[in-house]
Amino acid sequence: MSHIVYLGLGSNLGNRKAILNEAIALIFERVGEVIRQSSFLETKPWGFESPNQFLNACLCVNTELAPRQLLETTQAVEKEMGRAHKTVNRKYQDRIIDIDILMIDDLKIDEPDFKVPHPLMKERDFVMIPLKEIMP
């Protein structure tokens, strides 16, 4: 079964543009066809202090992965690209790559480690601005 998913990407360490492009290539390879991609948006850190600005983007992807497989695959890409820690108890920190699952079709998922639609996306301009750019 095919799913249309929206992903949010962010990086505030290293060569952010190259990192986002690498993540997009890995998503294309392991998740599915990238149907639409927003432009990159530079933003201040959200929820924590850092001198490092973020570069953010959103993707629309057609995938054959089931929702849990999608989560596992995006987390594996983050880990492979050097992300050591996920956010715990909303304690945010600098990160080489962050891949958030924003939406999967019209699905609603409410599990302790997996919530779709992303519960904080509407509070975040760094998600909503690029997301609106690629939404039909």
Side-chain angles (χ1 to χ4, degrees):
M1 182 175 175
S2 175
H3 298 283
I4 297 297
V5 302
Y6 288 88
L7 304 175
L9 284 66
S11 173
N12 79 329
L13 294 174
N15 182 337
R16 301 165 306 157
K17 186 175 181 181
I19 289 164
L20 288 183
N21 283 324
E22 179 183 350
I24 292 164
L26 289 170
I27 288 166
F28 185 86
E29 181 182 300
R30 298 180 190 170
V31 175
E33 180 186 2
V34 176
I35 300 170
R36 287 185 296 282
Q37 174 185 327
S38 75
S39 54
F40 293 161
L41 175 69
E42 190 169 58
T43 62
K44 293 180 180 177
W46 186 91
F48 72 105
E49 297 293 321
S50 173
N52 304 313
Q53 301 287 302
F54 272 86
L55 204 58
N56 298 99
C58 285
L59 304 176
C60 176
V61 182
N62 186 1
T63 186
E64 298 294 322
L65 298 178
R68 180 58 65 173
Q69 289 175 299
L70 175 64
L71 177 64
E72 291 167 357
T73 302
T74 56
Q75 289 180 342
V77 167
E78 288 177 335
K79 187 173 182 179
E80 180 179 322
M81 291 184 67
R83 178 138 188 213
H85 306 287
K86 290 296 285 182
T87 300
V88 178
N89 296 325
R90 293 193 185 184
K91 290 186 180 173
Y92 300 106
Q93 57 193 356
D94 291 326
R95 61 205 73 155
I96 193 157
I97 188 66
D98 186 32
I99 304 170
D100 287 335
I101 299 170
L102 305 174
M103 295 180 285
I104 304 171
D105 300 322
D106 293 327
L107 294 178
K108 290 187 180 4
I109 300 170
D110 189 5
E111 298 173 5
D113 65 334
F114 190 25
K115 299 193 185 315
V116 175
H118 192 290
L120 299 174
M121 71 181 194
K122 290 184 180 176
E123 298 175 26
R124 298 172 168 177
D125 285 345
F126 66 86
V127 170
M128 297 310 293
I129 292 169
L131 185 60
K132 288 177 182 174
E133 186 181 320
I134 64 169
M135 291 288 292

